[in-house]
Amino acid sequence: MPTSFTVVPVEAQGEERQRDGQLREEEDEGDERDRGAGDGIAGESSPFINCAELGRGNMYEGKNMALFEEEMDSNPMVSSLLNKLANYTNLTQGVVEHEADEDSKRKEVKGPRMGTFIGVYLPCLQNILGVILFLRLTWIVGTAGVLESFIIVFMCCACTMLTAISMSAIATNGVVPAGGSYYMISRSLGPEFGGAVGLCFYLGTTFAGAMYILGTIEILLTYISPSAAIFKVADVGDETEAMLNNMRVYGTCIVILMAIVVFVGVKYVNKLALVFLACVILSIIAIYAGVIKTAFDPPDFPICLLGNRTLSKRNFDVCAKFTESNNETKTTPLWRLFCDSSLLNATCDDYFSLNNVTEIQGIPGIMSGVLTDNLWSAYSEKGSVVEKKDQPSVAGSEESKMGGLPYVFTDIMTYFTMLVGIYFPSVTGIMAGSNRSGDLKDAQKSIPTGTILAISTTSFIYLSCIVLFGACIEGVILRDKFGEAVNGNLVVGTLAWPSPWVIVIGSFFSTCGAGLQSLTGAPRLLQAIARDGIVPFIQIFGHGKANGEPTWALLLTVGICEIGILIASLDSVAPILSMFFLMCYMFVNLACAVQTLLRTPNWRPRFKYYHWTLSFLGMSLCLALMFICSWYYALIAMLIAGCIYKYIEYRGAEKEWGDGIRGLSLNAARYALLRVEDGPPHTKNWRPQLLVLLNLDNEQLVKHPRLLSFTSQLKAGKGLTIVGSVLQGIYLDKCTETQKAEENVKALMGVEKTKGFCQIVVSPNFRDGISYLIQSAGLGGMKHNTVLMAWPQSWKQTDNRFSWKNFVDTVRETTAAQQALLVAKNIDLFPTNQERFTEGNIDVWWIVHDGGMLMLLPFLLRQHKVWRKCKMRIFTVAQMDDNSIQMKKDLQMFLYHLRLNAQVEVVEMFENDISAFTYEKTLMMEQRSQMLKQMQLSKNEREREAQLIHDKNTASRSAPAVEVSVAAAVPEKVQMTWTKEKFVAEKHKNKDSNVSGFKDIFNMKPNQSNVRRMHTAVKLNGVVLNKSQHAQLVLLNMPGPPKNRKGDENYMEFLEVLTEGLDRVLLVRGSGREVITIYS
């Protein structure tokens, strides 16, 4: 979208300069006014980020933008920002820095100057065209036939083309620093995918180095200097084993030599790249020139056939059984290979005797029509003889096929999928351009153009070579992998013009260069991953020499490369690196598809010729090719990537790169939330979704950490958990404290392994803050249905922010919101996550039915290892008119249908007279409450006077439990505010009213309703203590607060009496809806 900028000149610059001059003179005279805006803001003379390198002319001096001067530190002026962007350079990390350090004469790094052709097209061309083209493509054409070979090459080229389209979209969506595919995948799919696929890509590049080195040795020992072999062939049939051993020895030497070259002189490797590329291009030109020449002058490469079997011409020269010389018939060396002597009457091989020896042209030429013979596949078993189709032959005995005879044998079993795995590495290397993005003049233009053009060129070369090879070369020669039928020449070399040595030498240097490039690039890729810090165990490989050379990464690369060398077979190594490259390409396509489907605002690629369907097709093709090549290699590669992914997820450093997986998670969460019904779930799906209310101290630390321990034990990571707390004050003043509190709560949640969300609310008063949390916590259908809080131990202290009034209002609000409430009493005595109860009971006292939550909670707790060995006991209370025996049977049947294992007991509570203790306890409670209402004192004075009367009654009636609880409620600061003078003044002021008031208090009679409630609490507490005093946890029905708000304080007393003497108590108040069912 084109955007227009208009630069508006600021007038009266001369006047501004005069004012500046006056200001400077005043400052020199000692005026303390600030140089800039005059507000004393530190750093105002340097309002830009990292502006130390800017000249004085670029610094902020004028007063035209005084309105924005206070924001200059965080928001630089547009002119400064544009200046920085114009001077931005993004050099490749690694090789460029190495060369800059080596070349001390270069004082400053020059800006990137490479264009599309030099920077992208040629590097991609060099990396794509390589060892497979020269050593295996003719063999693939001969084995699979022209048609199936065309399919193989087309599939692989289509895969890389689709990947290049996706890569172009990602590479043009902003600046891509050095790192290539790793950077693109990690920043698009997140650190987990990026690290896993980055390491797989590293392994693929390393094994590619091993493959190129093996190709180099094969060319050297097979076509250049066969006599250089260390292991000679002792017995017939041991050629393969000897060759593998030679490749292991030579490969180890060459990989060490290359590592030294890379370690000492990386810049020479880069400068030789052009030479290696020239070798590749000259070799391909020689192939096309040879094809053209075959049309009118085919080269002379005769093939010797015995019947329809191809003969290896390494041990004989004349393709005949005997020759005529001076009217004398003489046997040839070929005769002696099949017969036991050179005499004409010697005993010969049966097949040799029955069939004639014929000689045909190995390269009949493009006009010969041999293409029709090579259209179809000719797969074979390992050790079978390469035979010409439609050639007459007489079958001999089976022994004639045994080894030791000069036939051309197949060294491996061939089939379509295996050939795909061997061929695919020849189309890799499409990332070469994106890896050099830092060296390009315009990366967003060059990468798509150069990469797609290079793939198009190489695809044309491969596809045309398949047709031309099939049209020019005899099928038995194509299937002769090592050129034994043409005197040990490289098969593709026989087609080249002017000489086979052009291909041999060119391919030798090409594979050498490709091996050096792999050993140069792979360590830097590993170093980039290590420096990102997402995989902890490889961080050591991020270190290197002072100039950035990745020494440790190079050592690891050489070690892994040696593993490929020890495999020693190019045909076995190729499918391994195919897996890793295919996995990398698959995730590049996935990254593009995810970003396109998410439509994130930042997804604005300059390359417009992409679509998510193309990316998805490319991803599917990559996955299909992985399993086509080798299903067990594919599974191993995916297992390795999966393990790395989970390791990074579990142990790795958390990185936020704005990746697509995070966006995908948000999209999925939004979709799921919209699908979830905005209403109560079905009873079968109900589970406690907790809102945990925490108290924080003055340092914003959690007062009761065990509440989070209990939460994790109850939830076990399932369902929704919101941990909330309230800070008292105004949000603008409490921003810092809010952040600190949130950090502390999240840290404790991590320690206690509580999986959930943290929400801190700032409110003018604590009561409203709790109400806000209960009303608004959660989102859509993901809202809490249960509130968990700790019992306020010091509720009798009215200066406590979570006083009895707040607690009772919270109980009422949860009931109004139809939410369950769990109150943990003596929470500090609850077990931590590290403790284990080896025995004991979880006792449930089921007094009233409020939805079955009392049944469900012990079952959930016993899923956790802390409570796993505890037994569940359920107690219920029978009244006078109840049949306790029948109640027990019914309860056992109910539990059976609920699939809960628990011991059942029915406790009988008979009606009896209200004890004097209950009467006195109720009276004491009401006296205290009434006294507080009558006395017109301040808050602290009222507490002290109430405490004096309470202590007097406690001492006279010997109520130890109440005495302890009240004693804890005496704050020292109350006594400090009660002076003698104040007491005398108040005493004379309210003498008459106080005397009459106290007379009323001490002469009053308790309310009968309160007496009955206290009787129930005392009676029930006695029964619970008798049965469950030693239980590990007691769950009780929590009675609701009175409808008349005047009795709220009495309600707290009732709960205190009900739970007195118990260590761990969980008061449970249901939401009123069923949460457990007997139905499936």
Side-chain angles (χ1 to χ4, degrees), residues 248-280:
R248 292 184 181 109
V249 174
Y250 275 96
T252 303
C253 296
I254 290 179
V255 76
I256 293 173
L257 184 63
M258 285 186 175
I260 294 172
V261 171
V262 171
F263 180 77
V264 174
V266 175
K267 59 181 179 180
Y268 301 114
V269 176
N270 286 338
K271 289 175 181 176
L272 285 172
L274 197 59
V275 177
F276 300 140
L277 177 61
C279 293
V280 175

Side-chain angles (χ1 to χ4, degrees), residues 805 808 812 1013 1040-1048 1051 1069:
K805 185 65 177 172
V808 178
R812 285 198 174 98
R1013 287 187 172 87
K1043 295 181 180 178
N1044 183 3
R1045 292 177 177 267
K1046 295 180 180 179
D1048 285 355
Y1051 172 69
R1069 182 164 175 77

Side-chain angles (χ1 to χ4, degrees), residues 358-614:
T358 56
E359 195 171 52
I360 63 172
Q361 277 298 324
I363 303 179
I366 196 170
M367 307 301 291
S368 64
V370 74
L371 178 63
T372 55
D373 297 331
N374 293 330
L375 282 177
W376 311 108
S377 61
Y379 300 116
S380 58
E381 297 289 331
K382 180 180 179 181
S384 59
V385 179
V386 176
E387 298 177 345
K388 178 174 171 53
K389 301 174 184 177
D390 304 326
Q391 183 76 11
S393 66
V394 180
S397 62
E398 289 298 320
E399 288 76 12
S400 63
K401 291 188 178 181
M402 295 181 63
L405 298 177
Y407 294 126
V408 177
F409 294 99
T410 56
D411 62 335
I412 56 174
M413 184 174 68
T414 53
Y415 44 92
F416 178 82
T417 57
M418 186 208 69
L419 296 181
V420 175
I422 292 176
Y423 173 76
F424 187 81
S426 65
V427 296
T428 60
I430 63 173
M431 301 290 185
S434 62
N435 289 342
R436 299 174 181 230
S437 57
D439 298 326
L440 301 174
K441 188 185 300 182
D442 186 358
Q444 298 192 7
K445 178 182 177 182
S446 297
I447 289 176
T449 307
T451 305
I452 293 175
L453 192 60
I455 293 174
S456 302
T457 304
T458 54
S459 299
F460 171 77
I461 290 172
Y462 282 127
L463 292 171
S464 62
C465 281
I466 286 173
V467 177
L468 294 175
F469 289 164
C472 295
I473 306 175
E474 184 63 50
V476 290
I477 298 295
L478 291 173
R479 292 192 291 279
D480 183 7
K481 184 187 289 187
F482 301 109
E484 296 179 40
V486 284
N487 300 318
N489 283 305
L490 183 62
V491 173
V492 70
T494 60
L495 184 63
W497 181 87
S499 168
W501 286 100
V502 176
I503 300 292
V504 173
I505 301 300
S507 60
F508 178 78
F509 283 110
S510 169
T511 51
C512 275
L516 280 171
Q517 292 284 355
S518 296
L519 288 180
T520 304
R524 281 163 178 77
L525 177 60
L526 181 63
Q527 187 181 44
I529 300 171
R531 285 181 173 176
D532 262 348
I534 58 174
V535 187
F537 70 85
I538 65 167
Q539 286 186 354
I540 186 175
F541 300 109
H543 306 298
K545 293 196 292 187
N547 58 5
E549 187 67 19
T551 310
W552 292 106
L554 178 61
L555 290 175
L556 180 65
T557 303
V558 171
I560 297 174
C561 192
E562 179 63 21
I563 295 174
I565 297 294
L566 294 176
I567 295 174
S569 172
L570 189 147
D571 300 321
S572 300
V573 173
I576 297 176
L577 64 101
S578 295
M579 290 302 117
F580 293 123
F581 278 120
L582 278 167
M583 183 170 291
C584 177
Y585 297 165
M586 180 176 71
F587 282 102
V588 169
N589 285 296
L590 175 62
C592 182
V594 166
Q595 296 280 25
T596 308
L597 289 173
L598 287 178
R599 298 175 184 173
T600 52
N602 191 52
W603 180 246
R604 303 185 301 275
R606 289 191 178 278
F607 180 77
K608 301 298 182 184
Y609 305 102
Y610 70 95
H611 195 267
W612 70 267
T613 53
L614 293 177

Side-chain angles (χ1 to χ4, degrees), residues 722-999:
I722 302 173
V723 180
S725 188
V726 178
L727 296 181
Q728 202 162 349
I730 300 174
Y731 182 70
L732 289 177
D733 301 332
K734 294 281 187 178
C735 285
T736 307
E737 294 180 24
T738 304
Q739 293 177 356
K740 182 181 178 183
E742 189 168 349
E743 290 173 2
N744 292 339
V745 172
K746 285 183 176 178
L748 185 61
M749 290 173 67
V751 171
E752 299 294 342
K753 297 180 180 179
T754 304
K755 297 180 181 178
F757 308 96
C758 175
Q759 190 168 352
I760 306 295
V761 172
V762 180
S763 174
N765 61 75
F766 193 77
R767 163 74 189 78
D768 290 343
I770 294 292
S771 179
Y772 298 157
L773 280 174
I774 292 175
Q775 293 178 63
S776 62
L779 180 64
M782 289 294 288
K783 292 182 68 70
H784 63 278
N785 54 30
T786 306
V787 177
L788 172 62
M789 58 194 299
W791 173 263
Q793 297 289 349
S794 54
W795 62 270
K796 294 176 184 175
Q797 296 181 12
T798 54
D799 65 333
N800 178 32
R801 63 177 184 175
F802 201 87
S803 64
W804 58 271
K805 185 65 177 172
N806 291 340
F807 177 81
V808 178
D809 284 344
T810 302
V811 176
R812 285 198 174 98
E813 288 202 351
T814 56
T815 305
Q818 294 183 338
Q819 295 172 4
L821 177 64
L822 308 178
V823 179
K825 196 161 185 281
N826 302 325
I827 185 62
D828 294 328
L829 298 178
F830 276 59
T832 63
N833 288 329
Q834 286 71 39
E835 295 181 41
R836 302 286 184 273
F837 287 135
T838 56
E839 59 181 0
N841 300 311
I842 299 177
D843 286 356
V844 177
W845 285 86
W846 192 18
I847 312 300
V848 294
H849 180 65
D850 54 359
M853 193 153 181
L854 279 170
M855 307 290 183
L856 189 61
L857 291 176
F859 170 77
L860 295 176
L861 278 175
R862 291 180 69 240
Q863 306 302 309
H864 196 272
K865 50 194 172 185
V866 173
W867 305 91
R868 189 165 294 157
K869 295 187 178 180
C870 293
K871 296 179 180 178
M872 179 178 169
R873 298 193 301 181
I874 295 182
F875 297 91
T876 189
V877 177
Q879 301 295 324
M880 279 289 295
D881 298 334
D882 294 329
N883 184 341
S884 58
I885 298 176
Q886 188 61 40
M887 278 182 65
K888 184 173 182 178
K889 290 181 179 179
D890 293 342
L891 183 54
Q892 287 174 335
M893 182 59 66
F894 180 59
L895 292 177
Y896 175 79
H897 288 306
L898 289 177
R899 289 91 63 199
L900 294 175
N901 296 321
Q903 182 182 340
V904 175
E905 190 168 339
V906 177
V907 179
E908 296 180 347
M909 284 183 61
F910 300 109
E911 294 287 343
N912 55 5
D913 295 335
I914 297 174
S915 65
F917 172 76
T918 302
Y919 190 87
E920 294 292 340
K921 203 172 186 67
T922 310
L923 180 62
M924 177 181 60
M925 176 187 71
E926 291 191 356
Q927 285 178 347
R928 178 177 182 273
S929 180
Q930 188 66 24
M931 173 204 66
L932 293 176
K933 292 176 184 177
Q934 289 187 3
M935 293 177 65
Q936 301 298 319
L937 303 176
S938 67
K939 177 182 176 182
N940 291 337
E941 293 166 346
R942 185 183 303 170
E943 273 188 6
R944 183 179 182 280
E945 194 65 29
Q947 193 63 46
L948 290 174
I949 297 174
H950 190 89
D951 290 345
K952 179 180 177 182
N953 288 333
T954 302
S956 63
R957 291 171 175 80
S958 302
V962 178
E963 182 177 352
V964 172
S965 64
V966 174
V970 183
E972 294 182 1
K973 62 181 180 180
V974 174
Q975 298 177 5
M976 292 171 63
T977 60
W978 188 267
T979 61
K980 182 177 180 181
E981 293 79 6
K982 201 170 186 180
F983 176 73
V984 172
E986 283 294 319
K987 182 177 177 183
H988 289 292
K989 179 180 176 182
N990 298 316
K991 184 175 181 181
D992 297 335
S993 60
N994 282 347
V995 169
S996 61
F998 284 128
K999 285 181 180 178

